[in-house]
Amino acid sequence: MEQDAPQHLRLAGVIRLSLAGGRGPSDAYVFDPHRLALPSWACALGDGGGPALLVSLDRHLDVVPPRQPEAVPDRSAGLRALDEHARWALDVRNYDHILAAMEAGLVGDALLIARARPRGAFERDTYRDTRGREHRLVAVPTVDRAAEAFRAPAPGDAVREVLERAERVLLDVDLDCFTTPSDADPTTVLPWPWSIIREFLLPDGSEPFWEAVLEKAVALTLAREPHHCGGLLASGELFREVAEVLFRELLHAEPP
């Protein structure tokens, strides 16, 4: 009898990579639109265990509430329901998937390393979903700031608190984290060179922070978002530069 294909093979447009032999997560999921993180997180977490802490690196704080948060399927509805919801119900601008994942019971708290706040983004530090669960939203602009708050928390810093409380971590990266809008034309983005990518991802003193993230990380999700990264060719070049630092230096794995 022919067996069913593995679940991840049913996620159109999602590439699953093995990170065996490195440190941190054993699997990575690569896709273009960031909203496909929702079914990828469901696939990575499986059916067991509670929600994970999301550690996200992005240019934007993707915490705009879904238009119909009560319509987001619970994770118990299965991968197909979450995949269809991500593709057909979430916003094509790719900024409501994080709160949707909280509604689904996939993500508990979130540590958001991001610099820009889209219009309509949720502004408080606790999100209460439609099922009555509360989620911490800890936002810092850079890895350097997150690492500093982890090493020596100042009053009000919660980076160490959410990391220590988490049982599992989903590490999420949006490629546009490594771009800057042009001063001459805000619709044009400038990809960062390798040296700046490395300085951002691996600043001095960040190793204790990354160790705390990676020892609990069950999966890496990576959104390529070419329309936010200068187009297909530019985003491809940027992906290669980021992969050298992210995979080889941070995860100690071979780049895809």
Side-chain angles (χ1 to χ4, degrees):
M1 180 181 295
E2 184 177 341
Q3 294 183 343
D4 289 340
Q7 283 194 320
H8 71 275
L9 295 180
R10 297 188 179 278
L11 296 178
V14 177
I15 301 169
R16 186 177 182 180
L17 305 173
S18 172
L19 302 179
R23 66 168 183 167
S26 58
D27 293 300
Y29 298 78
V30 182
F31 39 80
D32 283 351
H34 210 160
R35 62 189 182 278
L36 292 185
L38 185 69
S40 299
W41 294 335
C43 191
L45 293 176
D47 298 327
L53 169 70
L54 177 65
V55 177
S56 179
L57 285 79
D58 202 330
R59 179 152 54 95
H60 309 93
L61 284 160
D62 290 338
V63 288
V64 174
R67 282 173 295 205
Q68 294 182 297
E70 70 283 352
V72 179
D74 185 79
R75 64 185 294 189
S76 62
L79 182 61
R80 179 173 180 173
L82 288 163
D83 186 43
E84 289 183 353
H85 188 83
R87 295 175 193 273
W88 295 98
L90 293 187
D91 200 297
V92 296
R93 287 167 289 187
N94 295 290
Y95 53 31
D96 57 357
H97 51 279
I98 292 178
L99 298 192
M102 292 178 173
E103 293 286 347
L106 295 167
V107 168
D109 297 333
L111 170 55
L112 308 168
I113 301 172
R115 312 183 295 280
R117 185 177 292 274
R119 181 178 299 177
F122 188 79
E123 296 189 358
R124 295 189 292 275
D125 58 9
T126 300
Y127 175 73
R128 185 179 179 89
D129 66 33
T130 57
R131 280 86 167 175
R133 300 168 299 208
E134 292 190 346
H135 308 265
R136 295 286 301 276
L137 300 174
V138 181
V140 291
T142 62
V143 173
D144 182 63
R145 178 69 188 92
E148 180 185 2
F150 180 81
R151 291 194 314 269
D157 284 342
V159 171
R160 178 184 286 272
E161 179 185 344
V162 294
L163 274 170
E164 290 183 341
R165 189 168 65 181
E167 295 183 1
R168 297 186 292 178
V169 168
L170 292 165
L171 177 59
D172 179 65
V173 178
D174 190 331
L175 199 60
D176 76 1
C177 180
F178 310 101
T179 66
T180 302
S182 167
D183 288 339
D185 178 10
T187 64
T188 299
V189 296
L190 305 174
W192 294 356
W194 176 87
S195 59
I196 302 301
I197 295 167
R198 191 182 189 283
E199 183 179 345
F200 180 88
L201 270 179
L202 301 173
D204 291 342
S206 63
E207 183 59 21
F209 166 75
W210 281 122
E211 285 183 354
V213 171
L214 295 178
E215 71 178 359
K216 296 180 179 181
V218 296
L220 164 70
T221 48
L222 177 54
R224 292 182 293 198
E225 293 281 14
H227 58 293
H228 284 164
C229 298
L232 289 172
L233 294 179
S235 66
E237 292 295 328
L238 180 59
F239 181 85
R240 279 190 282 272
E241 297 283 3
V242 170
E244 283 295 316
V245 182
L246 178 63
F247 288 90
R248 196 184 300 280
E249 296 198 50
L250 178 60
L251 301 179
H252 300 172
E254 284 300 310

